[in-house]
Amino acid sequence: MEIKGSVVVEGIAAGFIRFFNQDYEKRIQGYVKESPEREKERFEKARQGAASDLNNLLKDREKLSESEGEILEAHQLLAEDMSLKETIVNYIEQGEAAPDGVLKAVSDFKAMFDDIDDEYLRERQKDIIDVGNRFLRKLLGMKEFSLEGDNIVLWAKDIEPSLMASLSEKQVKAILLESGSKTSHAVILAKAKGFVTMVGVSLSPEEISEGENVIVDANQGVIHFNPSEKEMEHCLALVKEQEEQKKFLEERAKLPARTKDGKSVTVAANISGAGDMEKAIALGCEGVGLFRTEFLFMDRDKLPTEEEQFLAYKGVTEQAAGNLCIIRTLDIGGDKPCKALSLTAEENPFLGFRAIRICLNQKEMFKTQLRAILRAGAYGKVGIMIPMVSSLWEILETKKLVEEVKGEMDAEKISYGKEVPLGIMVETPAASIMAPVFAKHVDFFSIGTNDLVQYTLAVDRGNQSVSYLYDYFNPAVLHSIHRIVTRAHEAGIWAGMCGEMAGDKLALPFLLALGIDELSMSPSQAPGVKEQIRNMDSGVCLDEILSLKDAGEVREYLRGLL
Ligand code: PEP
Ligand code: MG
């Protein structure tokens, strides 16, 4: 039997299918209710048990990735949250059994998020369900999910982020999810762990039994159940090849990315915190092309202080050991909420109050971040990058603020980097069209294809129903990128790319022919991209690519070059 799904993390894996479905309903039916006082005690014991499990998981904070740690911390806060606790206790006092009190309270909290037209915020409902389920498991005497054995292909309708965080890379080979968008916490964690991952996979445990052999081919987007011996053999050979190739690439990861005809490209890392740097350096990234600083601001009630930000930026800068670290100023809004700023919900958040628009409206907050970045500049090479720029005014205002904070720090005798370059993300059609003008006022461009595609093609980057139109190989996007790089070079500044396209090997012939100066990507992609660059020439085919009429033709042409 074969099933299709949407690929999130490419690769091929073979193993045994395990289902993650915890049957709370049956257990709740068998739960014997006692007096409200006793139910309250049972709930409190369960809550404390869940909180202590989370504390234990967080004890080895340094073993967790940045995102794993952040999610578990959010759950820890929820497990201690007074209003969640009081709502559950209220239900128990009204006569509900403790598990029903938990379910009702979780459903009330969930309902508060239902009407929010924001995918990211809706995903946060899952954190509440996740914590509620932890309470339930304790109340119902269920063990925390644990996996035994190796070569596991785990299927779930949906998976709690904290459970994903606890899965071991040694045991689990692939993750198949029925639901889960590319921005869901669980999927972010699966990517960070490097699991071969597909979403949109509907399975019926009645048709497939636990433990059956399965091949997940996330290169082709197909899952094969009960493969023949021959198919299995073939797949295992591919897995072995994939592992050997990974090892080979990792051993060569620190070699420079220079084409056969001698053109060098900087391959840098996209990171969301200092915790990502060790992996980035080990995998050959030459500095940071995009530090998404918003992760320091999200999931918390108060904005980070200057000192807190300074320490984070300094940590990254020092680890980069002389390479440039581009620190992007706060890119909140759109699909990234920030509790501490209490932003109002918007009809069109991606076209609304976002990124630099918020920063120029909240100048004290912006100045705090600029000071922290400039101070980190005293410890290494740092760059400031402004997101979502659509007008020259935004660049000039930011530069004014940079000068203002420098003046303040001079007066306060605080040391900071005197030569910190300032660049912009080119991710709006306005910035692409105005590239020759903007280039005269900044030190570099970095093309943010994730947004440039959505704004150029009028296709929401998070909307599944129009995802077939979301394509950076659409010639409209390629012409825009061509314009941006060419105009940057004419103005004498460098141009890089930090959107997802930068890590796509198929895009390399086009990007190198353009003369792109830097490519910034998820560190796990860097070894493969660097090797590909070393095996190619830079000066091929630009006119031909730009004469193609649709994304299909472009892909076909580029495939022919690899
Ligand atoms: C982009 O838009 O391409 C980008 C890198 O930024 P983000 O994905 O954070 O919007
Ligand atoms: Mg962007």
Side-chain angles (χ1 to χ4, degrees), residues 472-480 545-546 548-551 554:
Y472 41 69
F473 289 118
N474 184 309
V477 178
L478 299 188
H479 281 276
S480 181
I545 297 174
L546 289 171
L548 299 169
K549 313 249 171 346
D550 64 31
V554 173

Side-chain angles (χ1 to χ4, degrees), residues 328 331 354 425 427 448 450-451 461:
R328 177 172 77 181
D331 185 8
R354 193 191 153 185
M425 301 261 320
E427 53 183 347
N450 306 346
D451 278 314
R461 66 194 260 187

Side-chain angles (χ1 to χ4, degrees), residues 95-108:
E96 298 288 354
D100 293 317
V102 170
L103 285 175
K104 290 200 164 161
V106 166
S107 147
D108 290 352

Side-chain angles (χ1 to χ4, degrees), residues 72-281:
L72 289 178
E73 272 165 9
H75 289 180
Q76 195 185 31
L77 287 178
L78 274 173
E80 303 287 358
D81 185 83
M82 282 313 286
S83 55
L84 179 60
K85 182 176 152 175
E86 276 165 15
T87 313
I88 296 169
V89 169
N90 267 340
Y91 276 118
I92 296 175
E93 283 171 348
Q94 285 164 31
E96 298 288 354
D100 293 317
V102 170
L103 285 175
K104 290 200 164 161
V106 166
S107 147
D108 290 352
F109 274 70
K110 219 177 127 257
M112 292 195 268
F113 288 89
D114 269 342
D115 295 332
I116 297 176
D117 190 18
D118 177 315
E119 191 183 354
Y120 184 89
L121 270 185
R122 274 197 313 273
E123 285 295 338
R124 304 294 71 75
Q125 292 182 326
K126 296 204 178 115
D127 295 336
I128 291 162
I129 298 170
D130 195 341
V131 172
N133 285 346
R134 279 188 179 275
F135 294 165
L136 282 182
R137 290 196 287 275
K138 291 284 175 206
L139 279 167
L140 302 169
M142 293 160 81
K143 282 208 176 108
E144 285 304 308
F145 178 74
S146 77
L147 285 175
E148 272 132 44
D150 292 329
N151 297 329
I152 292 162
V153 172
L154 189 66
W155 177 85
K157 260 191 192 313
D158 200 352
I159 204 162
E160 295 159 13
S162 64
L163 182 80
M164 185 73 86
S166 68
L167 297 177
S168 141
E169 289 95 323
K170 286 199 186 92
Q171 287 182 292
V172 176
K173 297 296 167 210
I175 300 285
L176 305 173
L177 295 178
E178 187 168 302
S179 60
S181 71
K182 286 186 179 172
T183 52
S184 76
H185 262 152
V187 168
I188 293 170
L189 292 172
K191 267 193 206 168
K193 292 204 168 250
F195 296 140
V196 170
T197 306
M198 282 166 63
V199 295
V201 180
S202 300
L203 283 190
S204 139
E206 283 78 46
E207 276 178 301
I208 293 148
S209 332
E210 192 123 21
E212 275 182 23
N213 274 328
V214 58
I215 294 174
V216 180
D217 183 349
N219 295 326
Q220 310 293 333
V222 188
I223 304 141
H224 307 267
F225 289 93
N226 278 328
S228 65
E229 230 171 81
K230 211 165 149 212
E231 281 173 320
M232 200 60 170
E233 239 172 62
H234 176 65
C235 167
L236 291 176
L238 289 177
V239 170
K240 195 160 170 249
E241 227 173 76
Q242 181 180 277
E243 276 162 10
E244 280 165 6
Q245 176 69 359
K246 193 169 164 229
K247 196 162 161 257
F248 168 79
L249 291 175
E250 288 181 8
E251 278 165 9
R252 293 167 57 81
K254 296 209 169 143
L255 295 174
R258 186 178 305 119
T259 60
K260 287 201 276 194
D261 55 331
K263 165 90 182 125
S264 285
V265 185
T266 302
V267 172
N270 288 356
I271 60 162
S272 50
D276 297 336
M277 277 307 277
E278 199 183 322
K279 191 170 173 189
I281 292 162

